[in-house]
Amino acid sequence: GCFKVLRTVFRSGRSFASNLGGVDDEMDTTSSSRPYVFPAFYRYPPYFTVQPVAETFQKQRELWSSLILSYCTHHKMHVIDVFDDGLELFRNREIERHLVVTEKRVFLDALEQDHNGRKGRWLTARETGAKGSDAVQKCFFLVLWRPLEESVLAWMDGNNECEDVMLLESLVEGLGMDGWTWGEGLVRGALEALERERRVKVFTHRNGGRKFLAVKKL
């Protein structure tokens, strides 16, 4: 299950989440020159319990989605480990309130659903390096705080691909990090948006009788 996998997945002596940009207690004050300012609702205990009334819950999920994105953007944090009980994002020590694992999943699910996966998604067992397709069930959440379109252009610039044709599969692989990828579907969507803005050109490339989708920056 999740708890067992959490204790066994490591990269170079650090936990999987920390290696992918997760923020632990000692990093919270050093990952940004400015301290993060939490919104007002973070100081009210009721917001740390999933509300049963639909209208109230809808407002609550919007507030938590906004907070998760804002916090992760500020700390340049890419991966949330739902079993990290020390992460201040979900634990307010001043009022002695925190979200339990099931509640974290509720609001992370909301973030994924409300933005159709463009702001965040759950990492799969294959991406975390766990054994078996069901070894990880909603343990690590990938936060996409930077627009994927920006990441595509930045990666192409950084890899001197501005003048060269790049295969879609190479772009998807290049945008990934330590085993996880954005997913071909999300990358295709970003390329379609960039193509509408006339910033890239997507076309079919043939090589040895096989067809590949290729990309060129304009």
Side-chain angles (χ1 to χ4, degrees), residues 94-111:
E94 291 185 3
I95 64 173
E96 298 183 345
R97 290 292 187 274
H98 68 278
L99 296 181
V100 298
V101 171
T102 54
E103 292 168 332
K104 293 176 188 177
R105 286 172 173 155
V106 166
F107 296 122
L108 291 170
D109 278 341
L111 176 59

Side-chain angles (χ1 to χ4, degrees), residues 121-144:
R121 66 174 178 83
W122 293 101
L123 289 170
T124 66
R126 178 182 59 79
E127 290 171 318
T128 61
K131 296 181 179 179
S133 59
D134 297 324
V136 174
Q137 293 289 341
K138 296 185 176 180
C139 291
F140 300 106
F141 190 86
L142 175 64
V143 184
L144 310 177

Side-chain angles (χ1 to χ4, degrees), residues 1-10 15 81 83-85 140:
C2 289
F3 187 79
K4 183 178 180 181
V5 171
L6 176 65
R7 299 305 179 195
T8 57
V9 178
F10 287 85
S15 70
D81 174 352
F83 284 98
D84 182 359
D85 291 331
F140 300 106

Side-chain angles (χ1 to χ4, degrees), residues 112-164:
E112 179 178 26
Q113 295 162 7
D114 292 347
H115 298 278
N116 296 317
R118 291 186 61 80
K119 294 296 184 180
R121 66 174 178 83
W122 293 101
L123 289 170
T124 66
R126 178 182 59 79
E127 290 171 318
T128 61
K131 296 181 179 179
S133 59
D134 297 324
V136 174
Q137 293 289 341
K138 296 185 176 180
C139 291
F140 300 106
F141 190 86
L142 175 64
V143 184
L144 310 177
W145 47 264
R146 185 183 193 185
L148 182 49
E149 291 82 1
E150 290 185 13
S151 295
V152 168
L153 294 176
W155 193 88
M156 293 178 76
D157 285 340
N159 287 273
N160 299 317
E161 298 286 358
C162 296
E163 303 299 330
D164 299 324

Side-chain angles (χ1 to χ4, degrees), residues 1 5 12 20 29 36 38-39 43 46 55 58 62 65 69 75 97 114 116 159-160 180 191 195 202 211:
V5 171
S12 302
L20 293 188
T29 58
Y36 181 75
F38 283 91
R43 298 190 293 272
E55 184 177 353
Q58 179 60 35
E62 292 173 359
S65 291
L69 285 174
H75 287 292
R97 290 292 187 274
D114 292 347
N116 296 317
N159 287 273
N160 299 317
W180 63 262
L191 291 173
E195 192 168 34
V202 181
K211 292 193 301 183

